[in-house]
Amino acid sequence: MLYRLHALLMTCAVLLAALPAQAQNYPTRPIRIIVAYTPAGTTDILARAIGQKMSERWGQPVIVENRPGAAGNIGTELAAKATPDGHTLIMGTAGTHGINVSLYKKLNWHPLKDFAPVSLVAMVPNIMVVSNALPVKSVKDLIAYARANPGKLSYGSPGNGSTAHLSMELFKSMTGTSLVHIPYKGSAGVLADVMGGQIAVTIDNMPVYLPQVKTGKIRALAVSPAKRSAAAPEIPTIAEAGVPGYDSGAWFGLLAPAGTPRAVVELLAAETARILQLPDVSRRISELGAEPVGGTPQQFTELIKSEIAKWAKVIKDANVELQ
């Protein structure tokens, strides 16, 4: 954590030093942060935490506007078509800016061509959990059991094309296993049916499942991405537990419409880095089971590029397509 905070401070200092005079008068009116999902979720909470601190710093209202629907595509299209002056932003996710471009045939926006990445904000690990009724105690056990019973195990996800759905498809492709996908309308139903034994396994965002792991109602096998989570350091990563190279997690970051002045993008990145190292904000993000990250616009751009490439292959290999 100390290393992460030091990195954030260094990022903030570098970005601020590079800002030209062009950004000194920004913002000149209220800022809108679009959230392409319903209120009270992780995306919404992060947007409001960042927005509040921006408002306090700059003396302009920062309004979080929820525009849910179509797996985030409605709100994301709205942000893509906004005036590129820095007064409209979006809290993008692995779904909106890493997955959807390969999942949907017809999108009226592109995650990079129509956006200027500002800064990664936070990352949320996934957790692989199984029903207590399933006779497996490790990832290797699960792989062996699934191979011995092809097509007999089911896994749940909060919906077709979700990070949870594709994370399990990635696991299947890397382990040569066959499990049946059962999509739900949100993680609550998945959790209930894993606890009840109606489905065998899921890989989904950690915050929803960890409390039930700690009470023994479900069994955790591993976490992802590539390093252990500070929230549950005793749980190995999927890569450590038997699938080398496996890496899958949720992430959230600020973007502006393409064409937003570079000076404004850099100012927003510097301000985001400053906000993320504030103790109350860092604590709030950690309470979500997330890790504050920060970084430069270029670093965030490279992450999005790598995520698009990774999920495009998973989607193609699994033959997943949504209209």
Side-chain angles (χ1 to χ4, degrees), residues 277-290:
Q277 57 89 30
L278 295 174
D280 59 330
V281 174
S282 178
R283 183 170 57 252
R284 181 72 182 99
I285 292 174
S286 296
E287 287 171 353
L288 296 172

Side-chain angles (χ1 to χ4, degrees), residues 220-286:
L221 300 186
V223 298
S224 183
K227 67 176 183 176
R228 296 194 184 200
S229 169
E234 73 281 3
I235 303 176
T237 68
I238 294 177
E240 288 176 324
V243 191
Y246 185 94
D247 188 352
S248 171
W251 53 261
F252 306 83
L254 277 179
L255 302 97
T260 299
R262 186 68 183 177
V264 172
V265 170
E266 291 172 349
L267 176 62
L268 285 163
E271 177 63 5
T272 302
R274 183 193 72 84
I275 290 169
L276 289 174
Q277 57 89 30
L278 295 174
D280 59 330
V281 174
S282 178
R283 183 170 57 252
R284 181 72 182 99
I285 292 174
S286 296

Side-chain angles (χ1 to χ4, degrees), residues 2-166:
L2 289 175
Y3 174 80
R4 176 68 69 184
L5 291 176
H6 177 72
L8 284 173
L9 288 169
M10 290 297 294
T11 298
C12 184
V14 169
L15 289 168
L16 284 171
L19 292 177
Q22 181 182 358
Q24 290 180 1
N25 295 325
Y26 172 88
T28 59
R29 62 178 188 277
I31 297 170
R32 174 177 62 158
I33 302 178
I34 293 174
V35 170
Y37 303 97
T38 54
T42 303
T43 317
D44 182 73
I45 293 170
L46 290 172
R48 293 180 190 278
I50 297 293
Q52 178 186 344
K53 296 300 182 181
M54 285 183 174
S55 181
E56 292 172 2
R57 175 83 158 192
W58 289 332
Q60 290 283 359
V62 178
I63 301 161
V64 174
E65 185 174 324
N66 297 91
R67 290 297 187 96
N73 291 332
I74 292 174
T76 307
E77 181 176 350
L78 180 68
K81 295 181 177 179
T83 302
D85 59 6
H87 291 89
T88 295
L89 308 171
I90 184 170
M91 185 64 72
T93 69
T96 58
H97 287 77
I99 291 173
N100 286 2
V101 67
S102 301
L103 194 61
Y104 293 88
K105 273 188 173 181
K106 297 179 181 178
L107 286 182
N108 295 321
W109 54 272
H110 186 276
L112 285 174
K113 294 177 183 177
D114 293 309
F115 286 94
V118 173
S119 175
L120 185 62
V121 170
M123 301 195 77
V124 175
N126 285 336
I127 188 167
M128 173 183 275
V129 297
V130 296
S131 166
N132 286 336
L134 194 68
V136 302
K137 298 293 180 64
S138 68
V139 171
K140 289 183 178 179
D141 286 350
L142 176 64
I143 294 169
Y145 191 90
R147 287 175 177 169
N149 299 274
K152 293 183 179 180
L153 292 182
S154 60
Y155 76 91
S157 82
N160 285 311
S162 63
T163 53
H165 174 200
L166 297 179

